[in-house]
Amino acid sequence: MAKRNVTVRMKADHEYEAVNPQGNVVQIDMYDPAEKKAQSPMDMILSALGSCASVDAVLMMKKKRKTVLDFIVEVEGERNEGVPAFYTDIHMKFILISPDAKDEEFAKVVALSVEKYCSVASSLKANITFSSEVRTV
């Protein structure tokens, strides 16, 4: 099984930074929309899902020798009213700008991408076992 990891460190009360082993940094904050400087963790779930599905869909369209001028995914999540406010529904709108692609073939590619190849979508559907350990220093 392949393992991945990131380290998340607090920068301020509502600000965090996530870093992977290669040194790539993502800024995260929990501010209200008016003060927001970065995505929240729940925004990042939508971003991860949209980008994961995008990569596979674009590669498959190019493999079909279709011209990809632009590609956009609008991802919207509906959250539970209580705590925790997890996503109950997620809707993705895929937009392909291409002079030679057809809706039918694009729909098949998107379905394959989301339902079969996207690791993020599979993770959101999975029964994940969570574990934790704690220590104070």
Side-chain angles (χ1 to χ4, degrees):
M1 221 185 282
K3 290 188 178 185
R4 304 289 293 262
N5 68 293
V6 297
T7 300
V8 178
R9 174 170 246 140
M10 181 179 76
K11 294 173 54 183
D13 285 348
H14 298 288
E15 295 178 30
Y16 295 83
E17 180 177 274
V19 182
N20 69 5
Q22 295 77 29
N24 305 116
V25 179
V26 175
Q27 302 300 323
I28 304 159
D29 79 41
M30 299 297 292
Y31 292 117
D32 291 328
E35 301 163 20
K36 203 142 224 10
K37 296 183 264 183
Q39 291 190 28
S40 72
M42 294 303 283
D43 292 337
M44 290 174 57
I45 289 174
L46 299 179
S47 295
L49 178 61
S51 58
C52 180
S54 295
V55 169
D56 293 323
V58 168
L59 289 175
M60 285 188 271
M61 290 305 288
K62 287 186 173 185
K63 202 172 209 179
K64 291 178 173 283
R65 301 195 190 292
K66 301 302 174 183
T67 308
V68 177
L69 299 176
D70 201 358
F71 188 93
I72 303 153
V73 183
E74 297 172 358
V75 188
E76 180 178 75
E78 185 74 30
R79 293 179 70 181
N80 180 47
E81 293 294 325
V83 174
F86 54 87
Y87 287 117
T88 57
D89 298 278
I90 297 176
H91 177 76
M92 294 185 283
K93 179 180 180 181
F94 291 83
I95 304 160
L96 171 66
I97 311 299
S98 174
D100 52 5
K102 303 283 183 255
D103 283 348
E104 305 80 39
E105 67 186 339
F106 184 47
K108 287 179 187 175
V109 161
V110 166
L112 271 174
S113 177
V114 174
E115 296 165 16
K116 184 175 181 180
Y117 296 114
C118 178
S119 300
V120 175
S122 292
S123 295
L124 290 172
K125 294 185 285 188
N127 290 326
I128 299 172
T129 302
F130 291 94
S131 64
S132 61
E133 63 181 76
V134 298
R135 71 179 169 145
T136 59
V137 183

